[in-house]
Amino acid sequence: MLIRAGYDISFATDVPTPMMALLSIHPSRNKDLKTMQRITSVPHAPMYDYVDTFGNVCTRLTIPAGGLTLSCDFTIEDSGVADPYTPDAVQHAIEDLPDDVLVYLLGSRYCETDRLSETAWGLFGHVPAGWQRVQAIVDFTHNHVEFGYHHARPTKTAWDAHQEQQGVCRDFAHLAITLCRCMNIPARYCTGYLGDIGIPPVDAAMDFSAWFDVYLGGAWHTFDARHNHPRIGRILMARGRDATDTALTTAFGPAALAGFQVHTDEVSAIA
């Protein structure tokens, strides 16, 4: 299947403001591109890319005084297969984990394992380790947190989401990731496109989405605590320990979001 995706994101500034953006698809999806994926800006601003320590493509630019609009539009091929279900994937003993996976057991800016460890073991200590335990964590998070865009705030952590029982997709992901890490299951944060493909149309503006991966059975597996249902057409943009590592844009100075439009649609042919 083919998916056409992209965005127009505008920022207003009074002075030149440096910015870092993770608005490109993840390199692991480059082979699936059917058209060129390139970030453009109006007015034109010089920009360049580098790859960070998590393998994400980061774009550096400076927003000129008055602001600019960043845009992208591309078509990508997708398998059309829903998130895989692998119930026999086992949980590894910590001593058997690869070195580069260990970081995803540690607490991070939005995932306070120290504050939720006792809660996690009380809720899931009796659940068989492995896929079943992760699914129990996803079920709990999905039912415990009420979704609503008006519940969003940039400072909300997993602990806050657990206590307030409200949040957006990043809060669902942060809470589930934290509970997994508390149970010694490596978990990493993911962000990207997720359109309404294979489900009834949703009467809401399109947005980027957050989900998470866990390391079981020698591989990473996708889970989504917000939707708690296998989905079609995820297009990964970035992954890391939490939203700190995967922020779509980080402005190093005052920059107000002035416009935000995202599109992700299945198409029958390349436009």
Side-chain angles (χ1 to χ4, degrees), residues 32-51:
D32 300 321
L33 284 168
K34 295 304 175 183
T35 64
M36 182 174 62
Q37 180 217 213
R38 183 168 68 92
I39 302 174
T40 60
S41 68
V42 177
H44 172 72
M47 60 183 79
Y48 74 89
D49 296 338
Y50 73 94
V51 178

Side-chain angles (χ1 to χ4, degrees), residues 5-22:
Y7 52 80
D8 295 288
I9 305 175
S10 301
F11 299 92
T13 58
D14 294 326
V15 297
T17 304
M19 172 173 279
M20 179 177 71
L22 276 72

